[in-house]
Amino acid sequence: MDLSTMNKEQLQAIKTTEGPLLIMAGAGSGKTRVLTHRVAYLLDEKQVPSYNILAITFTNKAAKEMRERVDKLIAEDASKMWISTFHAMCVRILRRDISYLGYDTSFSILDPLDQQSVVRDILKTRNLDTKQHNPRSILAVISNYKNQLIKPEEAIAEAGGFQDELYSEIYKDYQEILYRNSSLDFDDLIMLTIELFQKEPNVLSYYQTRFQYVHVDEYQDTNHAQYQLVQMLAAKYRNICVVGDSDQSIYKFRGADIQNILNFEEDYPEATVIKLEENYRSTKTILDAANAVIGNNTERKPKNLRSNKGDGVKIDVQVSFSEREEGQRVVQKVQELSDKYSYGDMAILYRANAQSRAVEDAFVKSSIPYKMVGGTKFYSRMEIKDLMSYLKVIQNPFDDISFQRIINVPKRGIGAKTIDKLRAHAEQLNSSIYDAIRDADFLGIPAKTVGKLMSLLQVLDNLKEKSKYMTMTDLVDEVLADTGYHDMLSSDKTLEARSRLENLEEFKTVTKEFDNDNPVADDNLFNFLSDMALVSDQDGMDDTAGVTMMTMHASKGLEFPVIFVVGLEEGIFPSRRVQFDDGELEEERRLMYVALTRAMDHLILSRAESRMLYGKTESNMQSRFLSEIPEELLESAGSIAAGFSGGKSGVTPTTGSSFSRGPKKRSRIINTNKTGTDFNVGDKVSHKAFGDGIVSQVKGEGDNTELDIIFNSAGPKRLLANYAPLEKKD
C-alpha cells in the first residue's frame, strides 16, 4: 500500500495501531483519507482479519464512501468488516439478540412523524391540549432522557416540578406503547443496545472479542449514550482510535457532549494524541479568517490550520438593505461566478431553514437551478408514509402505529368505532390490532365490516409470504395493487393524485438501488426498512446540477469551491437566545467555524440591515462573528457596513465594487453625526422598513447611542442611532 503522499502527522496516525489514539483533525485535513488508509494498513500490513475491525461514522454516506475507499486500497476481502453509523450498527446487534429484552426480532423503527402520533394519542388519553404541550417538545425531553440513559422510572423519581413529572409520566406511557408495538425510536437503538450488553454479559463479550480495533469518526459529536457504547465495546483490547475536532462540535442540541473528546486523555491516560493541521481544502485567507474566529473560544484543544493552497482571493462581505435584496445579491454573485464555476460548485448556508425563503425566491425568479437539503422531506409525504406503513405492518404485525394509519386507506368502510373496539381488545389480550381482527366476530362489529377486515388481513398475510421471495421493487408493486392503493389514486383525476402516483414511481428508484445491492432473501424487507429509517439529510442529496441550499448544521462534512454564508446579524447568528450564555455562544462560534471551512476558493459573507423573519421585521447589528475576522482579509460591497460594538474590526464599503449601487439607484439616509446626539425624545422620524415613528428614549453615547422608537405600524424598536437608516421629520 502506497503511503508516500501522506504528510508526517498523517503517516504517524496511520501506523499507530496499538492502544488508544486521538486524532485531532482540523477541517479539510484529510481525516477520512487517514482513517481509510489506517483501516487498510491494519488489513494489509498488520494482517488483521476484517472480522476484527469496526469503524463508526455519523452518516450512511460517509460509511459507504469509507468502504469504497478501503476496497480500492487493498486486494483482501473486507466484507466482514463493520463500517456503519452508530444506529445502523445497533440495528444489526439488536436484530440478532433483542429477544433477550422481550422485543420481537422483526421490530419497527419509528420515524419522527410516527413518534409525534404516539405522543398525541397519549395526550388525548390524558385529556391534555397539544397546544399547551407540544408533542415535539415532549419528544425532545424524552430524547434527552434516553441520550443520558435515564429510564422512565428514574425520570419520574428525579422529576423536579409539575412539568417534569408530567413529561416523565408521558415518557413511561410512550415506552410502554413502543414495547407493545415491538417498535423502537432512534434513541432506543443505542439505549437498548447498552441495556442488552448490561443484561447479557455474554453478548457484550462476543462483540468485545470480535471488534479488536474500534474506530470512531466525528467523536466530538457523540452524546453520553454513544460514548458509553464505545467505552463498552473497546474495554477489552483498548485499541480505540477516535477522530474529531473540538472546534467542530455543533450538535449540543442533539445531546452531543464536547467533553467526550476533550477528556479522551483522562479516559485513556496511555493515549497517543496526533494533530492534523495541514488543510488541503481552503485558501490561506479563508483559514486565517476561520482561525481568527474560533480563537475566541476557550473550550477547545488549541491548534492552527495551515493551507497548502496559497493566499487566494479576499473574502467578500455583502451588506444589503433587506433580506429580499440579500437574495438578489446572492443571485448576482452566483451569476458572476458561473463563468468559472458550475452551479453545483456553490452552496448557500444559513442558520435556520426559515432564512432560505428570500434566497429561494431570488433563484426562482432568476431561473437558476437549485436544490435544498433538509426541506420538505420526500419520505414525509403522505403517499410514501402510507406505503411505508404497509411495508412495516407486513414486516412487523405488532406495529399498531402503522396499522392504524392504513387500516382504512384506501377507504374500506372501517370506522373509528371499529378501530377503538379492536384496539381495546388488543390491549386486553396484550396483543396487536392485527391479531385482534381474528376475533372480530365476537366484538360486536357488524358482519359487513368483519368481512372487510378479514379481506384486509388476507391481503396482508399473502403479501408477507410474497415478501420472502420477491425483490423490493416487485413487492412495492404488489402492495400498491393488492391493497387497492394504486387504483385509488388512478381513479382520482386530480393533479394532486397524479403527483402522488409520480412520487410512488420515484420511490421505486430507491427500491431498485436496494435490489441492485441485495440479492433476494428472507430478511430483505427488514433490511430495507432499516435502511430507510436511517436515511439522513446528506444521504438524500442528489448530484443534479444546481446551487445547494442548506443549514450550516447540514453542511458538516461537505465542501464546495464557493460558499455563501447569509444572515450574519446579531440575534440571527448568533441567535438571540444564546447571546448571554457563554457555553451556547461558543457552540454558535463553532458553527461559524464549520460554515467558513466548507469553502475551498471563494467565501461570501452576507448580512442585511433589516430582515423580516417569522413575521417580524428587525434591524440588527452586524454579527460579532463577522467582526472577529481581521479587516485585511475582507473586501466589502454594499449599502452600509456597521461593526459589532466592541468587535475587532469594522467593515467599510468598497467603492467601485460590482455590487455597490450608485446614488441614482437609491440614496441612503443615515445619521452622519457620529456622536448620535442629534436625536431627542419627541423627535418624529421615518425608517425605510418600519415607517413613521416617534423617539421615546435616547440611551448611551457615541457609537453606542441607542434610540427607543415607537413606530406607528411596527411598534416599539430599539435601534443604534449611528447606523439605523433614519430620517428626521419636521
Side-chain angles (χ1 to χ4, degrees), residues 561-572:
V562 180
I563 285 287
F564 293 78
V565 183
V566 299
L568 287 173
E569 300 128 40
E570 287 291 302
I572 304 295

Side-chain angles (χ1 to χ4, degrees), residues 87-111:
H87 294 98
M89 175 185 72
C90 290
V91 167
R92 291 180 73 173
I93 293 170
L94 293 172
R95 173 68 165 163
R96 183 175 179 264
D97 290 313
I98 198 172
S99 54
Y100 283 117
L101 302 178
Y103 289 79
D104 191 275
T105 54
S106 295
F107 57 86
S108 299
I109 303 172
L110 302 188
D111 65 24

Side-chain angles (χ1 to χ4, degrees), residues 622-630 642-651:
Q622 170 176 298
S623 168
R624 70 189 71 196
F625 301 151
L626 182 51
S627 300
E628 289 168 356
I629 299 174
F644 173 74
S645 177
K648 293 179 182 176
S649 66
V651 182

Side-chain angles (χ1 to χ4, degrees), residues 415-447:
K417 288 183 179 178
T418 297
I419 296 172
D420 286 344
K421 287 179 180 178
L422 290 170
R423 189 194 294 120
H425 186 62
E427 289 178 5
Q428 190 177 2
L429 295 178
N430 196 26
S431 183
S432 64
I433 291 176
Y434 196 102
D435 285 338
I437 289 176
R438 303 187 193 281
D439 296 335
D441 276 335
F442 312 105
L443 300 178
I445 296 172

Side-chain angles (χ1 to χ4, degrees), residues 1-21:
M1 184 174 60
D2 183 17
L3 298 176
S4 60
T5 58
M6 300 292 169
N7 64 39
K8 178 184 174 183
E9 292 78 17
Q10 290 175 330
L11 196 61
Q12 184 186 359
I14 290 168
K15 292 188 174 183
T16 305
T17 59
E18 306 306 307
L21 172 65

Side-chain angles (χ1 to χ4, degrees), residues 632-649:
E632 63 269 17
L633 302 177
L634 304 175
E635 187 165 29
S636 179
S639 315
I640 169 181
F644 173 74
S645 177
K648 293 179 182 176
S649 66

